[in-house]
Amino acid sequence: MRSSIVGTGRALPARVVTNDELAGLMDTSDEWIRTRTGIQQRRWIEPGDTGVRLGMRAALEALDSAGLAAGDLDAILYATSTPDRFTPGNGVYLQRELGIRSTIPAIDIRMQCAGFVYALSIADAYLRTEAFSRILVVGQEIQSTRMDLSTAGRHTAVIFADGAGAVVIGPTEEPGRGIRGFDLHTEGQYAEKLWVEGPGSLVPPSEWAREQEEGRYWLRMDGREVFRHAVVRMPESVRAALDRAGERPDDISLLIAHQANLRISEAVQKELGLRDDQTYNNIQRYGNTTAATIPIALDECSRAGRLRPGDLVVLTAFGSGFVWGSCVLRW
Ligand SMILES: CC(C)(COP(=O)(O)OP(=O)(O)OC[C@H]1O[C@@H](n2cnc3c(N)ncnc32)[C@H](O)[C@@H]1OP(=O)(O)O)[C@@H](O)C(=O)NCCC(=O)NCCS
């Protein structure tokens, strides 16, 4: 028995934020952002909206496309590095919002940009060990509410954005179909290359105001280091995952790489020797939505007819930690 993706969904906030709008807030330009990152616009939530609400919209679409109701689920895996609350995680709120009365586990996964791939790997293990058989996997992120929108924050504020994507994992007995394998890694020595220092339990609440004043709440990034590692680790990981599945880069029908930066995705494509029609990018429209980029792209590809039964699909991600990983599956 293998696990396969039996439904997909996505939710993006209605508010479109253009590069020109950002240029009105900080010293940057449409030209700089397009050339360095490929991003033309992104989505931010309206004040008062929540990440869980976005996650719920994506989840309902995924359930609908799977022909299932929320009550049919056995487990929820919720990947986010920007939960609505410190405690508890977004998973339990989603369980509540979906009106699920049974006490199925709703688990938060904190693996940043690789969160969705990690959540998928856990869902796959649960399914194959027959612990659970209908699992909702959500990748959702709200970056816009914790951005430094001054010129000091322009390295990250022009890149990161809000969004949610979801899939439902179910069993398949069709030979060759479904999830074929993973390649997963972390390298903690680079933890501070892309991080949010506070607030955390290292700092008592009495000092939170000072932390905020000193800018420790902002997402901070050494962009060049992240770039340098991402363009090596993603292709390396794709090859390792393909090797384990007994496939080669030539066999890939569609590679969906985490939408960190268009230049990174293009470098990964080149390194793997893939044609344009073997890859998919939507960072131009959505920016980097961290754990949400891959399920959003999967849903777009699925609904646009870019995924046909039997296609070899590879997902790969790299992010803060550093964490990275890939998944190989037959659609
Ligand atoms: C962030 C990134 C686009 C910056 O591009 P870069 O070519 O490395 O640019 P640098 O950081 O060297 O900055 C070049 C110049 O542009 C400036 N700059 C940085 N951000 C800017 C912005 N938004 N607008 C205008 N200028 C900007 C810098 O201050 C620097 O100016 P200086 O030369 O006077 O010091 C790039 O490093 C990157 O994409 N990194 C990976 C980021 C990523 O994917 N993160 C998510 C991983 S999950």
Side-chain angles (χ1 to χ4, degrees):
M1 175 106 66
R2 282 186 200 277
S3 45
S4 74
I5 294 176
V6 297
T8 64
R10 68 178 187 276
L12 279 309
R15 182 173 171 215
V16 174
V17 178
T18 63
N19 293 343
D20 284 336
E21 191 176 335
L22 292 182
L25 298 170
M26 62 190 79
D27 184 10
T28 188
S29 66
D30 177 50
E31 206 260 328
W32 193 97
I33 301 170
R34 277 181 198 248
T35 331
R36 303 292 178 116
T37 71
I39 300 167
Q40 297 167 17
Q41 60 181 48
R42 75 284 293 136
R43 305 294 183 97
W44 289 0
I45 56 163
E46 299 285 357
D49 203 358
T50 73
V52 169
R53 233 172 274 153
L54 213 55
M56 184 175 71
R57 280 174 40 210
L60 287 173
E61 273 200 3
L63 284 165
D64 186 56
S65 79
L68 295 173
D72 297 326
L73 292 170
D74 297 325
I76 296 172
L77 291 167
Y78 201 121
T80 184
S81 58
T82 52
D84 289 351
R85 308 265 175 225
F86 219 87
T87 303
N90 280 9
V92 298
Y93 287 109
L94 179 64
Q95 177 192 30
R96 187 170 79 186
E97 293 292 313
L98 286 172
I100 299 174
R101 293 286 169 83
S102 60
T103 56
I104 61 164
I107 303 153
D108 272 47
I109 312 285
R110 238 180 96 174
M111 294 301 277
Q112 299 72 252
C113 296
F116 181 77
V117 171
Y118 271 81
L120 213 52
S121 73
I122 297 165
D124 178 55
Y126 278 154
L127 192 135
R128 281 187 296 103
T129 53
E130 298 183 15
F132 306 112
S133 70
R134 305 225 180 267
I135 305 165
L136 175 67
V137 181
V138 179
Q140 175 266 305
E141 222 79 49
I142 302 295
Q143 298 284 1
S144 64
T145 54
R146 62 159 195 194
M147 276 175 178
D148 177 0
L149 296 177
S150 73
T151 295
R154 65 184 179 175
H155 286 90
T156 53
V158 302
I159 293 178
F160 292 94
D162 307 342
V167 301
V168 178
I169 301 297
T172 178
E173 284 175 15
E174 282 183 62
R177 295 282 291 280
I179 292 178
R180 305 279 298 280
F182 290 87
D183 176 68
L184 302 170
H185 303 273
T186 68
E187 202 170 20
Q189 63 169 308
Y190 297 109
E192 287 83 17
K193 297 295 179 192
L194 179 51
W195 69 320
V196 182
E197 192 176 353
S201 53
L202 275 178
V203 183
S206 57
E207 287 183 32
W208 285 7
R210 184 180 57 77
E211 289 271 296
Q212 191 175 16
E213 265 166 40
E214 291 172 6
R216 297 205 174 108
Y217 283 17
W218 306 128
L219 181 65
R220 282 181 287 165
M221 174 175 78
D222 180 341
R224 285 191 177 187
E225 275 293 283
V226 174
F227 199 105
R228 204 167 65 77
H229 287 261
V231 297
V232 172
R233 293 308 195 184
M234 280 195 278
E236 188 180 87
S237 173
V238 166
R239 285 186 202 281
L242 283 170
D243 266 357
R244 253 169 249 154
E247 308 280 1
R248 294 170 308 126
D250 283 357
D251 304 324
I252 295 176
S253 313
L254 192 67
L255 172 78
I256 297 180
H258 166 55
Q259 300 291 288
N261 175 318
L262 192 58
R263 284 161 58 215
I264 293 179
S265 298
E266 287 170 352
V268 171
Q269 176 184 344
K270 190 165 168 226
E271 172 58 29
L272 290 167
L274 302 180
R275 301 179 309 272
D276 287 349
D277 65 287
Q278 288 173 291
T279 65
Y280 183 76
N281 293 300
N282 60 12
I283 191 168
Q284 300 90 330
R285 288 174 284 132
Y286 302 139
N288 178 340
T289 57
T290 325
T293 71
I294 291 177
I296 291 172
L298 258 180
D299 183 58
E300 286 193 336
C301 290
S302 169
R303 286 173 199 271
R306 277 201 69 173
L307 292 167
R308 284 170 300 275
D311 274 0
L312 187 71
V313 179
V314 181
L315 315 174
T316 187
F318 179 91
S320 156
F322 291 142
V323 303
W324 67 98
S326 303
C327 171
V328 174
L329 61 103
R330 283 237 177 248
W331 195 252

